[in-house]
Amino acid sequence: MVAPVLVRRTSHGVTLLGDPHRPGGVTLAFTERTGGCSTNEFSSLNLGLYCDDNEDDVLRNQQKALDAMGAGHLFDRLVNPVQVHGSDVVRIGRGGLSWEAARQVALKGADAIVCNEPNVPVLLCYADCVPVVLVAPGAFAVVHSGWRGSLARIAGKALGVLTDAAQCQASEVQAYVGPHIGAEDYQVSEDLASKFCKEFGNTVVVGKRNLDLAAAVGRALVDEGLPEQALTVVGESTTRNTDRFYSYRAEGGKCGRHGALACILSSNVDQGH
């Protein structure tokens, strides 16, 4: 197995962080905020439909992001759930729902999608919360993990659904944690910090009450059998890099959303390893 890596590249004017090895036959990417057509506080590649941006601009941005990762021809099959900070996982493909049915379920609220069906792109959106992409042979999961989802171990739950869908072991999975708020910028209440320490151990809190969400996500994955060396994490905090990423906290609650995207392109199906 090739160790997970994230390489920054630009395609169709859009900057992506992705793994060029396409592990498991999966094309994956985390987007940055530049290269789109949204304006003002949403500038410019806002992928979120639910933050008061112009809908036509957002749809054009979603098309551009798919074009950049080589999946532009699949825009009509895009699954983009309404995220509700919950722990529900929707499964697409063999053993789960058709992509059409899954899309309707996801529009009622979901924060993780597992897919083993080729040519179904999945997009979840973020502005400080933790983006997670999990890749198994011939299957993937895309997860939105804010503090509520992290405390509920949504990434670990998605890993269990993914290994069932792929009929593999957790040791065969690779995990990617995308751009998110860093512990140095995320001070929470002492009560919430205490809850995280109780659930994951003291290492997920820096100082008295600065929460390391990525550490909690990593702990949840490792506890489910993911090897620590199979996890890669984007280290730049979204709140300190608003030229590249959106940050709800740094931008006063009015901003766009960058995305985590994954798809099993039919041309990649025989390339998984």
Side-chain angles (χ1 to χ4, degrees):
M1 177 185 293
V2 179
V5 296
L6 287 170
V7 176
R8 193 178 186 216
R9 67 180 181 90
T10 299
S11 175
H12 293 75
V14 172
T15 301
L16 305 173
L17 298 169
D19 191 333
H21 298 112
R22 295 189 177 92
V26 177
T27 298
L28 66 103
F30 301 104
T31 65
E32 297 195 7
R33 69 180 292 169
T34 55
C37 59
S38 292
T39 58
N40 300 320
E41 62 265 39
F42 304 110
S43 178
S44 67
L45 192 76
N46 171 36
L47 302 179
L49 281 167
Y50 308 107
C51 53
D52 297 325
D53 192 8
N54 179 277
E55 181 175 338
D56 289 339
D57 287 345
V58 176
L59 293 176
R60 283 194 290 270
N61 289 339
Q62 292 181 351
Q63 178 71 68
K64 287 198 70 173
L66 288 176
D67 288 341
M69 64 181 292
H73 60 295
L74 300 173
F75 178 79
D76 289 342
R77 294 166 65 91
L78 178 65
V79 177
N80 177 209
V82 174
Q83 296 163 212
V84 293
H85 293 272
S87 58
D88 286 344
V89 181
V90 175
R91 179 170 164 179
I92 300 171
R94 297 183 309 277
L97 302 172
S98 68
W99 70 267
E100 297 98 332
R103 182 154 66 180
Q104 294 306 309
V105 171
L107 287 175
K108 297 176 182 178
D111 288 88
I113 304 291
V114 168
C115 179
N116 61 13
E117 182 175 335
N119 298 321
V120 179
V122 173
L123 164 67
L124 274 73
C125 298
Y126 314 81
D128 288 337
C129 291
V130 184
V132 184
V133 177
L134 307 174
V135 174
F140 66 83
V142 185
V143 183
H144 167 254
S145 190
W147 75 257
R148 291 177 180 85
S150 297
L151 193 58
R153 293 176 173 259
I154 186 174
K157 182 177 179 180
L159 176 57
V161 176
L162 175 64
T163 55
D164 183 63
Q167 292 296 288
C168 73
Q169 301 297 313
S171 59
E172 300 175 69
V173 175
Q174 294 177 322
Y176 305 78
V177 172
H180 60 280
I181 189 170
E184 65 273 20
D185 302 314
Y186 192 33
Q187 191 173 86
V188 299
S189 69
E190 290 185 10
D191 179 62
L192 186 58
S194 177
K195 288 179 180 177
F196 269 83
C197 286
K198 183 177 180 180
E199 182 67 31
F200 300 103
N202 294 337
T203 58
V204 301
V205 173
V206 179
K208 289 186 176 180
R209 53 192 183 100
N210 279 59
L211 183 57
D212 189 340
L213 283 177
V217 168
R219 184 74 264 157
L221 292 170
V222 170
D223 286 349
E224 292 297 322
L226 182 88
E228 291 188 6
Q229 65 270 25
L231 173 66
T232 188
V233 179
V234 174
E236 295 93 343
S237 176
T238 47
T239 58
R240 299 191 183 200
N241 293 274
T242 53
D243 57 326
R244 293 176 59 192
F245 310 113
Y246 296 103
S247 172
Y248 190 88
R249 178 167 287 209
E251 298 178 83
K254 192 71 171 178
C255 65
R257 303 291 188 271
H258 46 263
L261 288 146
C263 186
I264 306 166
L265 296 173
S266 55
S267 59
N268 293 342
V269 169
D270 296 326
Q271 299 177 20
H273 52 274

